[in-house]
Amino acid sequence: QVQLVESGGGLVQAGGSLRLSCAASGRTFSNYAMGWFRQAPGKEREFVAGILWSGDRIYYADSVKGRFTISRDNAKSTVYLQMNSLKPEDTAAYMCAQDGSSRRGKSSYSVTYSRPVAYDYWGQGTQVTVSS
């Protein structure tokens, strides 16, 4: 059974940084793309960042580009989200998700990376609150 466990959330002032981690277990981590999504109260879930299983395709939402960095350590079965220059509008519950397709191709991932339906396992989320 696949499990995804996020950590690293918290309260931070605007301009600060946080590093989120998502530890995965249950299947071969290195075969699956990983994504980070977030959801604020009263808003829809939105894509934040995604990384292909091979690590050579990375995508970001425009709202976080240049401030957030996604990375993965396949030896530790963990995906990270480094968040710098945080803004109050980044406040949300952040969730990691694992792709539903093993070793998805680059072309396919270029289409699916931001779609929640492409990911079949989700963590419970970690809260990030940015104060102004």
Side-chain angles (χ1 to χ4, degrees):
Q1 183 177 355
V2 174
Q3 286 193 317
L4 303 176
V5 180
E6 302 96 337
S7 61
L11 174 64
V12 64
Q13 288 189 330
S17 298
L18 284 174
R19 188 196 195 202
L20 305 184
S21 300
C22 170
S25 62
R27 60 184 182 181
T28 305
F29 178 80
S30 58
N31 285 347
Y32 295 90
M34 298 295 296
W36 284 99
F37 290 76
R38 67 187 181 186
Q39 188 166 19
K43 295 188 176 181
E44 291 188 357
R45 183 174 299 182
E46 66 170 342
F47 168 78
V48 176
I51 183 168
L52 191 59
W53 59 272
S54 54
D56 59 352
R57 285 294 185 270
I58 290 176
Y59 298 93
Y60 296 100
D62 288 343
S63 58
V64 307
K65 205 169 290 183
R67 300 187 298 122
F68 291 11
T69 302
I70 188 172
S71 61
R72 64 188 299 154
D73 184 338
N74 289 339
K76 295 183 178 180
S77 298
T78 300
V79 63
Y80 304 97
L81 185 68
Q82 177 67 44
M83 305 186 297
N84 298 329
S85 302
L86 283 161
K87 304 175 181 180
E89 51 264 43
D90 294 318
T91 295
Y94 283 72
M95 297 154 283
C96 66
Q98 191 171 73
D99 196 3
S101 178
S102 176
R103 297 199 165 218
R104 187 186 293 274
K106 295 173 185 177
S107 295
S108 174
Y109 194 57
S110 70
V111 175
T112 65
Y113 67 89
S114 65
R115 299 178 180 177
V117 294
Y119 298 83
D120 59 354
Y121 288 100
W122 293 79
Q124 291 297 310
T126 185
Q127 179 67 35
V128 172
T129 303
V130 184
S131 63
S132 57

